[in-house]
Amino acid sequence: MPQRHPVIIITGTPGTGKSTHAQLLQDASPVPLKHINVGQLVKDNSFHHGFDQQWQSYTVDEDKLLDELEPLASAGGIILDWHTCEIFPERWADLVVVLRCNHTMLWDRLEKRNYPLKKIQENNEAEIMEVVLQEARDSYPQQIIVDLKSESSQDLENNVASIVEWINQWLKDNGHEDEDNTL
């Protein structure tokens, strides 16, 4: 049986580049990693209690979502991409990446997505108040949390390269020296 590969959570306020990071990381990883866009999974599989018109988002059924993700997380080799992280059990995570962005830049990104003003304001406040970073710090050991700036294509490149370095070190630390780490 092949050895387990890491579970990486990429989180951050909407608009910080989670999905872009996850996709590029999937392509650059020295081992196969499956990118799971958790928000899309919730929509596609109706893991929700309906759509909240006021907040323009789904009310997630966390039990259904976690039941679906448990076997995937146990097997490893996944990137969980979502705007929150604290619902994922600590035992799942090998690395938690919190993407951060200047709030003015974030506002512009969310406007381009045609988010309603209330949702832009809420997400901008959350970024300023470091809500997602604090959730990560409250939910996981400090040594597995990485806080990365995500404002430019250079940040994106550097971040993906850093995570690939982390994966290579994780593989060594977890007895994968004999594995062929090429895709």
Side-chain angles (χ1 to χ4, degrees):
M1 181 175 157
Q3 292 179 298
R4 180 186 165 282
H5 291 144
V7 173
I8 299 170
I9 298 171
I10 298 181
T11 190
T13 307
T16 54
K18 297 175 298 295
S19 297
T20 304
H21 275 79
Q23 194 58 55
L24 290 175
L25 179 60
Q26 181 181 30
D27 296 342
S29 175
V31 294
L33 294 175
K34 180 180 179 180
H35 170 204
I36 299 172
N37 180 320
V38 177
Q40 195 62 51
L41 184 72
V42 166
K43 288 179 211 165
D44 292 349
N45 294 285
S46 298
F47 296 152
H48 57 80
H49 302 291
F51 192 75
D52 183 324
Q53 286 298 333
Q54 181 182 358
W55 293 107
Q56 295 292 300
S57 63
Y58 288 93
T59 305
V60 176
D61 183 331
E62 292 182 10
D63 291 335
K64 282 184 182 175
L65 175 62
L66 293 175
D67 286 349
E68 176 76 12
L69 291 174
E70 176 72 44
L72 300 172
S74 295
I78 60 173
I79 304 165
L80 295 171
D81 154 13
W82 208 25
H83 64 273
T84 189
C85 61
E86 83 278 356
I87 77 160
F88 303 128
E90 181 182 331
R91 71 181 181 280
W92 288 9
D94 295 299
L95 179 67
V96 178
V97 177
V98 181
L99 297 177
R100 306 291 314 287
C101 180
N102 170 284
H103 67 91
T104 305
M105 188 176 289
L106 183 67
W107 187 285
D108 293 341
R109 290 178 183 179
L110 297 178
E111 273 188 337
K112 284 182 182 140
R113 291 182 178 187
N114 294 316
Y115 275 30
L117 180 59
K118 183 174 181 172
K119 194 168 181 176
I120 293 172
Q121 289 170 329
E122 179 197 51
N123 285 311
N124 214 20
E125 265 180 46
E127 185 64 14
I128 292 167
M129 300 301 292
E130 301 184 343
V131 170
V132 179
L133 181 59
Q134 194 56 53
E135 286 174 354
R137 288 178 174 157
D138 291 346
S139 303
Y140 303 98
Q142 299 311 296
Q143 65 270 20
I144 71 166
I145 300 169
V146 181
D147 175 9
L148 298 175
K149 185 172 77 162
S150 176
E151 297 176 358
S152 67
S153 55
Q154 189 61 57
D155 290 340
L156 177 63
E157 263 179 54
N158 293 343
N159 293 345
V160 170
S162 294
I163 299 167
V164 167
E165 277 181 43
W166 178 90
I167 292 168
N168 285 323
Q169 188 60 52
W170 186 92
L171 291 169
K172 288 178 190 158
D173 294 347
N174 288 277
H176 289 260
E177 293 90 1
D178 299 332
E179 189 171 322
D180 178 12
N181 292 334
T182 57
L183 292 174

